[in-house]
Amino acid sequence: MDTADTNLGRVRAALDAACEHLLARRNAEGFWEGHLSSSALSTATALSALALADDPADGELIAGGVAWLAAHRNADGGWGDTPDSPTSLATTLLVASALRLAAADDPSVFPTEYLAAHGAADAASRVVAIRQAYGADRTFAVPILMNCALAGLVEWAQVPPLPYQLAVLPRAWYPALRLQVVSYALPALIAVGMTIEFHRSPRTPASWLRRLVTPTVWRKLVGLQPQSGGFLEAAPLTAFVCMGLLSLGLRDDLVVQAGLRFLRQSVRSDGSWPIDTNLSVWVTSLSLTALAAAGVEPPEAERTRQWLAARQYRQRHPFTDTAPGGWGWSHLSGAVPDGDDTPGALLALGDHLDEASRAAGVQWLLDLQNSDGGWPTFCRGWGQLPFDQSCDDLTAHALRALAVGAPASSRLAVERGLSSPQQAVARGLAYLRARQRPDGAWVPLWFGNQATPDQQNPVLGTARVLAALAQLDPAGDMAARGRAFLLAAQNEDGGWGGAAGASSTVEETALAVTGLAGWPDETREALRRGAAYLAARVERGDWTDATPIGLYFARLWYAEELYPVAWTVEALGKAVTALS
């Protein structure tokens, strides 16, 4: 047996082991739930809300959260978003606020020296630092400052207002209003805006006139809260809403009680909170797609596919007012249909999805496309702030789904006079051409890399775009330039990091291999080295160690345990096909 056969045998053995591991992670209900990293930021905000609720029954939860924070402080005295993240001033200020509100600001734990060393020793400097960090986007900056004001770390007069009264206006007006918050943050806009006005505004005739709209705004907030009580299934957003309303004396209000119940139920046994309950729909789509690439039909596959198909929204969603047809990231009630999970589900289900459902999903994507040809996350044309503007990775994912679902949607378009998927694909490709960097790369919105100077992840973004171009424009110059970027970014060990020179990770290597696998003749050597890197990690047993490359709302870092697993299965499956 020659060396090539031996290496391919190692890759096949690693693929078998990876598939076995992925299948073992499926739960008893037939889907994958995953496991998100614990978050100091989520833990801090949850503690602040529970401390302000002042319920003696929460004493054990608060003590456990404080102990977890104390055990996961970085060497410089601050906290990062995850236990494996560098220190963040925003997260550290939120932890400091939680410790103060929980009366647990022990000098040995409270980050006094870190704040002083990073220009945040006093109230005024803290406000300046947070506003500089987030720029024009008030989505996260203002709730952070509200939390700090509740803890006495900044003055209320220094907290910028939020125009919560605008929430009474029709959603169709929001893009023209150029709100300084993004679409997913409407609960924070309402609750935090009301809280700030209460604490900082004098009682004037104008303020009373503004409060005339409060009943209508409040009904809007009630309508946005899901059955679980957790807005977007996210502890930070839910905690910000709760702590603000608690400071208004609304402890017994149903919105507050439901939010506090969500926080109490979502705490982990070690005392921490994750950023979101789970990404079950997303990781199930990834897992089915990966196993298909490996040529593996899971046991009871139809049960899993039926579960995923049933997660498609059949009614207009109250949070974003989007039409039926999309998928959210979780099966839980707080999820919202979006421009990444919808194409993910369409690709995972493929021909196993009935024609009407597939056409509805494709039309949902067509309706989401922005005027610039790209796809945003939640709402078409909301604005130019992060998470509501067009982005490269979502656009590529949508284009792949349109390529798969186009036949059904074309018939639907003819019958109902709807937009043409072929025109949408052409506009999407034009958007990607305009967005390609001079070095050939594309940059994702929902993923980053903590080790790159700008914390961006062009390797991941380029890999996701190449996966679309392999189907839609394989011979074009865009694909050639993208491949050249990935080939130049490959490390000596055969793996990839977030950019050239960044340390190799399983996640980025797997995605790069998948992205290059569409051109086996041009990328054979890179595929061989990348697959060998992944096989070695599987053999070593550390391939399941998740890296914080995910970016949640407001650029919060997270790691997901199933990312390296599912992406490795997909990459090795494609590598075996390409190299055989």
Side-chain angles (χ1 to χ4, degrees), residues 266-301:
S266 56
V267 65
R268 288 179 167 166
S269 58
D270 63 358
S272 68
W273 277 262
I275 54 166
D276 204 283
T277 309
N278 64 53
L279 308 180
S280 58
V281 171
W282 176 237
V283 295
T284 296
S285 295
L286 293 180
S287 299
L288 285 174
T289 299
L291 291 167
V296 173
E297 177 78 351
E300 298 186 47

PDB file of all heavy atoms in Angstrom, residues 266-301:
ATOM      1  N   SER A 266     -32.987  28.481  33.664  1.00  0.00           N
ATOM      2  CA  SER A 266     -31.913  28.280  32.692  1.00  0.00           C
ATOM      3  C   SER A 266     -30.527  28.287  33.321  1.00  0.00           C
ATOM      4  O   SER A 266     -29.529  28.165  32.606  1.00  0.00           O
ATOM      5  CB  SER A 266     -31.984  29.348  31.596  1.00  0.00           C
ATOM      6  OG  SER A 266     -31.937  30.656  32.136  1.00  0.00           O
ATOM      7  N   VAL A 267     -30.431  28.418  34.645  1.00  0.00           N
ATOM      8  CA  VAL A 267     -29.122  28.362  35.292  1.00  0.00           C
ATOM      9  C   VAL A 267     -28.574  26.937  35.206  1.00  0.00           C
ATOM     10  O   VAL A 267     -29.323  25.948  35.225  1.00  0.00           O
ATOM     11  CB  VAL A 267     -29.225  28.821  36.764  1.00  0.00           C
ATOM     12  CG1 VAL A 267     -30.071  27.859  37.581  1.00  0.00           C
ATOM     13  CG2 VAL A 267     -27.840  28.992  37.371  1.00  0.00           C
ATOM     14  N   ARG A 268     -27.272  26.817  35.084  1.00  0.00           N
ATOM     15  CA  ARG A 268     -26.630  25.503  35.025  1.00  0.00           C
ATOM     16  C   ARG A 268     -26.221  25.034  36.421  1.00  0.00           C
ATOM     17  O   ARG A 268     -26.158  25.824  37.361  1.00  0.00           O
ATOM     18  CB  ARG A 268     -25.416  25.564  34.098  1.00  0.00           C
ATOM     19  CG  ARG A 268     -25.828  25.687  32.645  1.00  0.00           C
ATOM     20  CD  ARG A 268     -24.658  25.769  31.699  1.00  0.00           C
ATOM     21  NE  ARG A 268     -25.102  25.564  30.321  1.00  0.00           N
ATOM     22  CZ  ARG A 268     -24.369  25.829  29.262  1.00  0.00           C
ATOM     23  NH1 ARG A 268     -23.147  26.324  29.391  1.00  0.00           N
ATOM     24  NH2 ARG A 268     -24.854  25.615  28.044  1.00  0.00           N
ATOM     25  N   SER A 269     -25.916  23.759  36.510  1.00  0.00           N
ATOM     26  CA  SER A 269     -25.614  23.173  37.819  1.00  0.00           C
ATOM     27  C   SER A 269     -24.359  23.767  38.448  1.00  0.00           C
ATOM     28  O   SER A 269     -24.208  23.727  39.671  1.00  0.00           O
ATOM     29  CB  SER A 269     -25.448  21.654  37.681  1.00  0.00           C
ATOM     30  OG  SER A 269     -24.411  21.337  36.752  1.00  0.00           O
ATOM     31  N   ASP A 270     -23.463  24.347  37.618  1.00  0.00           N
ATOM     32  CA  ASP A 270     -22.244  24.939  38.175  1.00  0.00           C
ATOM     33  C   ASP A 270     -22.435  26.395  38.577  1.00  0.00           C
ATOM     34  O   ASP A 270     -21.496  27.060  38.994  1.00  0.00           O
ATOM     35  CB  ASP A 270     -21.081  24.817  37.191  1.00  0.00           C
ATOM     36  CG  ASP A 270     -21.316  25.582  35.888  1.00  0.00           C
ATOM     37  OD1 ASP A 270     -22.398  26.182  35.727  1.00  0.00           O
ATOM     38  OD2 ASP A 270     -20.408  25.571  35.033  1.00  0.00           O
ATOM     39  N   GLY A 271     -23.664  26.922  38.445  1.00  0.00           N
ATOM     40  CA  GLY A 271     -23.942  28.293  38.850  1.00  0.00           C
ATOM     41  C   GLY A 271     -23.873  29.317  37.734  1.00  0.00           C
ATOM     42  O   GLY A 271     -24.102  30.500  37.973  1.00  0.00           O
ATOM     43  N   SER A 272     -23.583  28.888  36.503  1.00  0.00           N
ATOM     44  CA  SER A 272     -23.419  29.821  35.381  1.00  0.00           C
ATOM     45  C   SER A 272     -24.650  29.815  34.481  1.00  0.00           C
ATOM     46  O   SER A 272     -25.522  28.952  34.594  1.00  0.00           O
ATOM     47  CB  SER A 272     -22.186  29.456  34.562  1.00  0.00           C
ATOM     48  OG  SER A 272     -22.389  28.214  33.894  1.00  0.00           O
ATOM     49  N   TRP A 273     -24.670  30.781  33.562  1.00  0.00           N
ATOM     50  CA  TRP A 273     -25.690  30.849  32.529  1.00  0.00           C
ATOM     51  C   TRP A 273     -25.011  30.894  31.157  1.00  0.00           C
ATOM     52  O   TRP A 273     -23.972  31.544  31.000  1.00  0.00           O
ATOM     53  CB  TRP A 273     -26.538  32.117  32.669  1.00  0.00           C
ATOM     54  CG  TRP A 273     -27.662  32.052  33.645  1.00  0.00           C
ATOM     55  CD1 TRP A 273     -28.976  31.806  33.372  1.00  0.00           C
ATOM     56  CD2 TRP A 273     -27.602  32.264  35.068  1.00  0.00           C
ATOM     57  NE1 TRP A 273     -29.735  31.851  34.524  1.00  0.00           N
ATOM     58  CE2 TRP A 273     -28.919  32.137  35.580  1.00  0.00           C
ATOM     59  CE3 TRP A 273     -26.547  32.551  35.953  1.00  0.00           C
ATOM     60  CZ2 TRP A 273     -29.210  32.278  36.931  1.00  0.00           C
ATOM     61  CZ3 TRP A 273     -26.833  32.684  37.300  1.00  0.00           C
ATOM     62  CH2 TRP A 273     -28.156  32.547  37.784  1.00  0.00           C
ATOM     63  N   PRO A 274     -25.583  30.222  30.139  1.00  0.00           N
ATOM     64  CA  PRO A 274     -25.100  30.380  28.763  1.00  0.00           C
ATOM     65  C   PRO A 274     -25.734  31.611  28.140  1.00  0.00           C
ATOM     66  O   PRO A 274     -26.653  32.218  28.699  1.00  0.00           O
ATOM     67  CB  PRO A 274     -25.580  29.100  28.078  1.00  0.00           C
ATOM     68  CG  PRO A 274     -26.876  28.790  28.802  1.00  0.00           C
ATOM     69  CD  PRO A 274     -26.673  29.243  30.235  1.00  0.00           C
ATOM     70  N   ILE A 275     -25.269  31.997  26.946  1.00  0.00           N
ATOM     71  CA  ILE A 275     -25.847  33.164  26.284  1.00  0.00           C
ATOM     72  C   ILE A 275     -27.230  32.873  25.744  1.00  0.00           C
ATOM     73  O   ILE A 275     -28.047  33.777  25.565  1.00  0.00           O
ATOM     74  CB  ILE A 275     -24.942  33.658  25.134  1.00  0.00           C
ATOM     75  CG1 ILE A 275     -24.650  32.511  24.166  1.00  0.00           C
ATOM     76  CG2 ILE A 275     -23.674  34.273  25.655  1.00  0.00           C
ATOM     77  CD1 ILE A 275     -24.064  32.969  22.881  1.00  0.00           C
ATOM     78  N   ASP A 276     -27.527  31.605  25.435  1.00  0.00           N
ATOM     79  CA  ASP A 276     -28.819  31.210  24.900  1.00  0.00           C
ATOM     80  C   ASP A 276     -29.083  29.789  25.380  1.00  0.00           C
ATOM     81  O   ASP A 276     -28.139  29.067  25.717  1.00  0.00           O
ATOM     82  CB  ASP A 276     -28.824  31.279  23.371  1.00  0.00           C
ATOM     83  CG  ASP A 276     -30.216  31.445  22.795  1.00  0.00           C
ATOM     84  OD1 ASP A 276     -30.964  30.455  22.746  1.00  0.00           O
ATOM     85  OD2 ASP A 276     -30.557  32.569  22.397  1.00  0.00           O
ATOM     86  N   THR A 277     -30.336  29.386  25.406  1.00  0.00           N
ATOM     87  CA  THR A 277     -30.644  28.063  25.927  1.00  0.00           C
ATOM     88  C   THR A 277     -30.000  26.979  25.078  1.00  0.00           C
ATOM     89  O   THR A 277     -29.298  26.100  25.585  1.00  0.00           O
ATOM     90  CB  THR A 277     -32.164  27.854  25.985  1.00  0.00           C
ATOM     91  OG1 THR A 277     -32.760  28.951  26.672  1.00  0.00           O
ATOM     92  CG2 THR A 277     -32.492  26.571  26.714  1.00  0.00           C
ATOM     93  N   ASN A 278     -30.241  27.008  23.779  1.00  0.00           N
ATOM     94  CA  ASN A 278     -29.578  26.071  22.872  1.00  0.00           C
ATOM     95  C   ASN A 278     -29.766  26.534  21.434  1.00  0.00           C
ATOM     96  O   ASN A 278     -30.557  27.442  21.161  1.00  0.00           O
ATOM     97  CB  ASN A 278     -30.099  24.628  23.045  1.00  0.00           C
ATOM     98  CG  ASN A 278     -31.560  24.470  22.683  1.00  0.00           C
ATOM     99  OD1 ASN A 278     -31.999  24.852  21.601  1.00  0.00           O
ATOM    100  ND2 ASN A 278     -32.338  23.898  23.601  1.00  0.00           N
ATOM    101  N   LEU A 279     -29.026  25.888  20.521  1.00  0.00           N
ATOM    102  CA  LEU A 279     -29.126  26.144  19.081  1.00  0.00           C
ATOM    103  C   LEU A 279     -29.596  24.874  18.382  1.00  0.00           C
ATOM    104  O   LEU A 279     -29.041  24.449  17.370  1.00  0.00           O
ATOM    105  CB  LEU A 279     -27.768  26.579  18.517  1.00  0.00           C
ATOM    106  CG  LEU A 279     -27.042  27.728  19.220  1.00  0.00           C
ATOM    107  CD1 LEU A 279     -25.717  28.019  18.525  1.00  0.00           C
ATOM    108  CD2 LEU A 279     -27.910  28.979  19.258  1.00  0.00           C
ATOM    109  N   SER A 280     -30.650  24.253  18.897  1.00  0.00           N
ATOM    110  CA  SER A 280     -31.022  22.901  18.476  1.00  0.00           C
ATOM    111  C   SER A 280     -31.334  22.796  16.981  1.00  0.00           C
ATOM    112  O   SER A 280     -30.901  21.837  16.325  1.00  0.00           O
ATOM    113  CB  SER A 280     -32.230  22.424  19.295  1.00  0.00           C
ATOM    114  OG  SER A 280     -33.326  23.321  19.137  1.00  0.00           O
ATOM    115  N   VAL A 281     -32.075  23.738  16.428  1.00  0.00           N
ATOM    116  CA  VAL A 281     -32.407  23.664  15.005  1.00  0.00           C
ATOM    117  C   VAL A 281     -31.154  23.826  14.153  1.00  0.00           C
ATOM    118  O   VAL A 281     -30.931  23.094  13.180  1.00  0.00           O
ATOM    119  CB  VAL A 281     -33.460  24.728  14.642  1.00  0.00           C
ATOM    120  CG1 VAL A 281     -33.654  24.820  13.139  1.00  0.00           C
ATOM    121  CG2 VAL A 281     -34.786  24.413  15.325  1.00  0.00           C
ATOM    122  N   TRP A 282     -30.323  24.783  14.520  1.00  0.00           N
ATOM    123  CA  TRP A 282     -29.088  25.057  13.785  1.00  0.00           C
ATOM    124  C   TRP A 282     -28.157  23.851  13.796  1.00  0.00           C
ATOM    125  O   TRP A 282     -27.680  23.410  12.737  1.00  0.00           O
ATOM    126  CB  TRP A 282     -28.426  26.284  14.390  1.00  0.00           C
ATOM    127  CG  TRP A 282     -27.096  26.687  13.844  1.00  0.00           C
ATOM    128  CD1 TRP A 282     -25.928  26.832  14.556  1.00  0.00           C
ATOM    129  CD2 TRP A 282     -26.757  27.057  12.499  1.00  0.00           C
ATOM    130  NE1 TRP A 282     -24.909  27.249  13.745  1.00  0.00           N
ATOM    131  CE2 TRP A 282     -25.389  27.393  12.477  1.00  0.00           C
ATOM    132  CE3 TRP A 282     -27.491  27.118  11.320  1.00  0.00           C
ATOM    133  CZ2 TRP A 282     -24.740  27.799  11.314  1.00  0.00           C
ATOM    134  CZ3 TRP A 282     -26.837  27.522  10.160  1.00  0.00           C
ATOM    135  CH2 TRP A 282     -25.480  27.856  10.167  1.00  0.00           C
ATOM    136  N   VAL A 283     -27.892  23.284  14.967  1.00  0.00           N
ATOM    137  CA  VAL A 283     -26.931  22.177  15.025  1.00  0.00           C
ATOM    138  C   VAL A 283     -27.531  20.898  14.457  1.00  0.00           C
ATOM    139  O   VAL A 283     -26.793  20.034  13.961  1.00  0.00           O
ATOM    140  CB  VAL A 283     -26.397  21.955  16.461  1.00  0.00           C
ATOM    141  CG1 VAL A 283     -25.587  23.165  16.914  1.00  0.00           C
ATOM    142  CG2 VAL A 283     -27.511  21.655  17.452  1.00  0.00           C
ATOM    143  N   THR A 284     -28.853  20.753  14.470  1.00  0.00           N
ATOM    144  CA  THR A 284     -29.459  19.596  13.811  1.00  0.00           C
ATOM    145  C   THR A 284     -29.314  19.720  12.298  1.00  0.00           C
ATOM    146  O   THR A 284     -28.998  18.734  11.609  1.00  0.00           O
ATOM    147  CB  THR A 284     -30.939  19.462  14.212  1.00  0.00           C
ATOM    148  OG1 THR A 284     -31.023  19.209  15.616  1.00  0.00           O
ATOM    149  CG2 THR A 284     -31.609  18.322  13.463  1.00  0.00           C
ATOM    150  N   SER A 285     -29.523  20.912  11.771  1.00  0.00           N
ATOM    151  CA  SER A 285     -29.301  21.126  10.335  1.00  0.00           C
ATOM    152  C   SER A 285     -27.850  20.848   9.966  1.00  0.00           C
ATOM    153  O   SER A 285     -27.564  20.177   8.963  1.00  0.00           O
ATOM    154  CB  SER A 285     -29.677  22.562   9.949  1.00  0.00           C
ATOM    155  OG  SER A 285     -31.049  22.801  10.112  1.00  0.00           O
ATOM    156  N   LEU A 286     -26.910  21.377  10.757  1.00  0.00           N
ATOM    157  CA  LEU A 286     -25.490  21.136  10.485  1.00  0.00           C
ATOM    158  C   LEU A 286     -25.169  19.647  10.512  1.00  0.00           C
ATOM    159  O   LEU A 286     -24.413  19.144   9.676  1.00  0.00           O
ATOM    160  CB  LEU A 286     -24.635  21.873  11.503  1.00  0.00           C
ATOM    161  CG  LEU A 286     -24.639  23.403  11.489  1.00  0.00           C
ATOM    162  CD1 LEU A 286     -23.713  23.938  12.590  1.00  0.00           C
ATOM    163  CD2 LEU A 286     -24.205  23.941  10.125  1.00  0.00           C
ATOM    164  N   SER A 287     -25.742  18.932  11.479  1.00  0.00           N
ATOM    165  CA  SER A 287     -25.420  17.514  11.635  1.00  0.00           C
ATOM    166  C   SER A 287     -25.971  16.686  10.482  1.00  0.00           C
ATOM    167  O   SER A 287     -25.291  15.791   9.957  1.00  0.00           O
ATOM    168  CB  SER A 287     -25.970  17.008  12.978  1.00  0.00           C
ATOM    169  OG  SER A 287     -25.376  17.702  14.058  1.00  0.00           O
ATOM    170  N   LEU A 288     -27.210  16.962  10.060  1.00  0.00           N
ATOM    171  CA  LEU A 288     -27.772  16.228   8.927  1.00  0.00           C
ATOM    172  C   LEU A 288     -26.999  16.505   7.646  1.00  0.00           C
ATOM    173  O   LEU A 288     -26.729  15.592   6.853  1.00  0.00           O
ATOM    174  CB  LEU A 288     -29.242  16.614   8.741  1.00  0.00           C
ATOM    175  CG  LEU A 288     -30.240  16.035   9.747  1.00  0.00           C
ATOM    176  CD1 LEU A 288     -31.627  16.619   9.509  1.00  0.00           C
ATOM    177  CD2 LEU A 288     -30.280  14.517   9.664  1.00  0.00           C
ATOM    178  N   THR A 289     -26.627  17.764   7.436  1.00  0.00           N
ATOM    179  CA  THR A 289     -25.837  18.109   6.256  1.00  0.00           C
ATOM    180  C   THR A 289     -24.484  17.420   6.275  1.00  0.00           C
ATOM    181  O   THR A 289     -23.992  16.926   5.246  1.00  0.00           O
ATOM    182  CB  THR A 289     -25.667  19.633   6.176  1.00  0.00           C
ATOM    183  OG1 THR A 289     -26.958  20.244   6.068  1.00  0.00           O
ATOM    184  CG2 THR A 289     -24.824  20.037   4.974  1.00  0.00           C
ATOM    185  N   ALA A 290     -23.855  17.383   7.457  1.00  0.00           N
ATOM    186  CA  ALA A 290     -22.545  16.750   7.587  1.00  0.00           C
ATOM    187  C   ALA A 290     -22.625  15.258   7.301  1.00  0.00           C
ATOM    188  O   ALA A 290     -21.791  14.698   6.563  1.00  0.00           O
ATOM    189  CB  ALA A 290     -22.000  16.998   8.991  1.00  0.00           C
ATOM    190  N   LEU A 291     -23.603  14.581   7.875  1.00  0.00           N
ATOM    191  CA  LEU A 291     -23.724  13.135   7.666  1.00  0.00           C
ATOM    192  C   LEU A 291     -24.035  12.816   6.205  1.00  0.00           C
ATOM    193  O   LEU A 291     -23.563  11.812   5.662  1.00  0.00           O
ATOM    194  CB  LEU A 291     -24.806  12.569   8.584  1.00  0.00           C
ATOM    195  CG  LEU A 291     -24.435  12.581  10.078  1.00  0.00           C
ATOM    196  CD1 LEU A 291     -25.662  12.315  10.937  1.00  0.00           C
ATOM    197  CD2 LEU A 291     -23.342  11.552  10.369  1.00  0.00           C
ATOM    198  N   ALA A 292     -24.814  13.668   5.546  1.00  0.00           N
ATOM    199  CA  ALA A 292     -25.078  13.463   4.118  1.00  0.00           C
ATOM    200  C   ALA A 292     -23.793  13.568   3.311  1.00  0.00           C
ATOM    201  O   ALA A 292     -23.565  12.794   2.368  1.00  0.00           O
ATOM    202  CB  ALA A 292     -26.109  14.480   3.630  1.00  0.00           C
ATOM    203  N   ALA A 293     -22.936  14.529   3.671  1.00  0.00           N
ATOM    204  CA  ALA A 293     -21.653  14.661   2.972  1.00  0.00           C
ATOM    205  C   ALA A 293     -20.772  13.445   3.194  1.00  0.00           C
ATOM    206  O   ALA A 293     -19.952  13.090   2.337  1.00  0.00           O
ATOM    207  CB  ALA A 293     -20.936  15.925   3.450  1.00  0.00           C
ATOM    208  N   ALA A 294     -20.932  12.798   4.351  1.00  0.00           N
ATOM    209  CA  ALA A 294     -20.154  11.599   4.658  1.00  0.00           C
ATOM    210  C   ALA A 294     -20.794  10.339   4.101  1.00  0.00           C
ATOM    211  O   ALA A 294     -20.229   9.241   4.250  1.00  0.00           O
ATOM    212  CB  ALA A 294     -19.998  11.463   6.175  1.00  0.00           C
ATOM    213  N   GLY A 295     -21.973  10.474   3.469  1.00  0.00           N
ATOM    214  CA  GLY A 295     -22.653   9.311   2.916  1.00  0.00           C
ATOM    215  C   GLY A 295     -23.274   8.425   3.966  1.00  0.00           C
ATOM    216  O   GLY A 295     -23.447   7.225   3.752  1.00  0.00           O
ATOM    217  N   VAL A 296     -23.635   9.010   5.104  1.00  0.00           N
ATOM    218  CA  VAL A 296     -24.181   8.238   6.222  1.00  0.00           C
ATOM    219  C   VAL A 296     -25.644   8.600   6.415  1.00  0.00           C
ATOM    220  O   VAL A 296     -25.989   9.774   6.559  1.00  0.00           O
ATOM    221  CB  VAL A 296     -23.407   8.512   7.526  1.00  0.00           C
ATOM    222  CG1 VAL A 296     -24.084   7.827   8.712  1.00  0.00           C
ATOM    223  CG2 VAL A 296     -21.969   8.048   7.390  1.00  0.00           C
ATOM    224  N   GLU A 297     -26.513   7.609   6.405  1.00  0.00           N
ATOM    225  CA  GLU A 297     -27.928   7.792   6.720  1.00  0.00           C
ATOM    226  C   GLU A 297     -28.122   7.435   8.191  1.00  0.00           C
ATOM    227  O   GLU A 297     -27.965   6.286   8.591  1.00  0.00           O
ATOM    228  CB  GLU A 297     -28.792   6.893   5.837  1.00  0.00           C
ATOM    229  CG  GLU A 297     -30.271   6.949   6.137  1.00  0.00           C
ATOM    230  CD  GLU A 297     -30.973   8.184   5.576  1.00  0.00           C
ATOM    231  OE1 GLU A 297     -30.261   9.093   5.085  1.00  0.00           O
ATOM    232  OE2 GLU A 297     -32.207   8.245   5.618  1.00  0.00           O
ATOM    233  N   PRO A 298     -28.448   8.415   9.029  1.00  0.00           N
ATOM    234  CA  PRO A 298     -28.560   8.128  10.464  1.00  0.00           C
ATOM    235  C   PRO A 298     -29.698   7.155  10.755  1.00  0.00           C
ATOM    236  O   PRO A 298     -30.698   7.119  10.017  1.00  0.00           O
ATOM    237  CB  PRO A 298     -28.861   9.508  11.079  1.00  0.00           C
ATOM    238  CG  PRO A 298     -28.572  10.502  10.021  1.00  0.00           C
ATOM    239  CD  PRO A 298     -28.746   9.808   8.716  1.00  0.00           C
ATOM    240  N   PRO A 299     -29.583   6.366  11.796  1.00  0.00           N
ATOM    241  CA  PRO A 299     -30.728   5.562  12.224  1.00  0.00           C
ATOM    242  C   PRO A 299     -31.914   6.477  12.532  1.00  0.00           C
ATOM    243  O   PRO A 299     -31.739   7.570  13.085  1.00  0.00           O
ATOM    244  CB  PRO A 299     -30.218   4.866  13.491  1.00  0.00           C
ATOM    245  CG  PRO A 299     -28.718   4.899  13.380  1.00  0.00           C
ATOM    246  CD  PRO A 299     -28.399   6.160  12.643  1.00  0.00           C
ATOM    247  N   GLU A 300     -33.083   6.038  12.158  1.00  0.00           N
ATOM    248  CA  GLU A 300     -34.306   6.826  12.363  1.00  0.00           C
ATOM    249  C   GLU A 300     -34.157   8.230  11.769  1.00  0.00           C
ATOM    250  O   GLU A 300     -34.594   9.229  12.343  1.00  0.00           O
ATOM    251  CB  GLU A 300     -34.645   6.933  13.851  1.00  0.00           C
ATOM    252  CG  GLU A 300     -34.928   5.594  14.514  1.00  0.00           C
ATOM    253  CD  GLU A 300     -35.397   5.761  15.946  1.00  0.00           C
ATOM    254  OE1 GLU A 300     -36.287   6.601  16.205  1.00  0.00           O
ATOM    255  OE2 GLU A 300     -34.863   5.050  16.802  1.00  0.00           O
ATOM    256  N   ALA A 301     -33.538   8.299  10.591  1.00  0.00           N
ATOM    257  CA  ALA A 301     -33.300   9.590   9.949  1.00  0.00           C
ATOM    258  C   ALA A 301     -34.601  10.324   9.659  1.00  0.00           C
ATOM    259  O   ALA A 301     -34.680  11.549   9.790  1.00  0.00           O
ATOM    260  CB  ALA A 301     -32.505   9.395   8.659  1.00  0.00           C
TER     261      ALA A 301
END
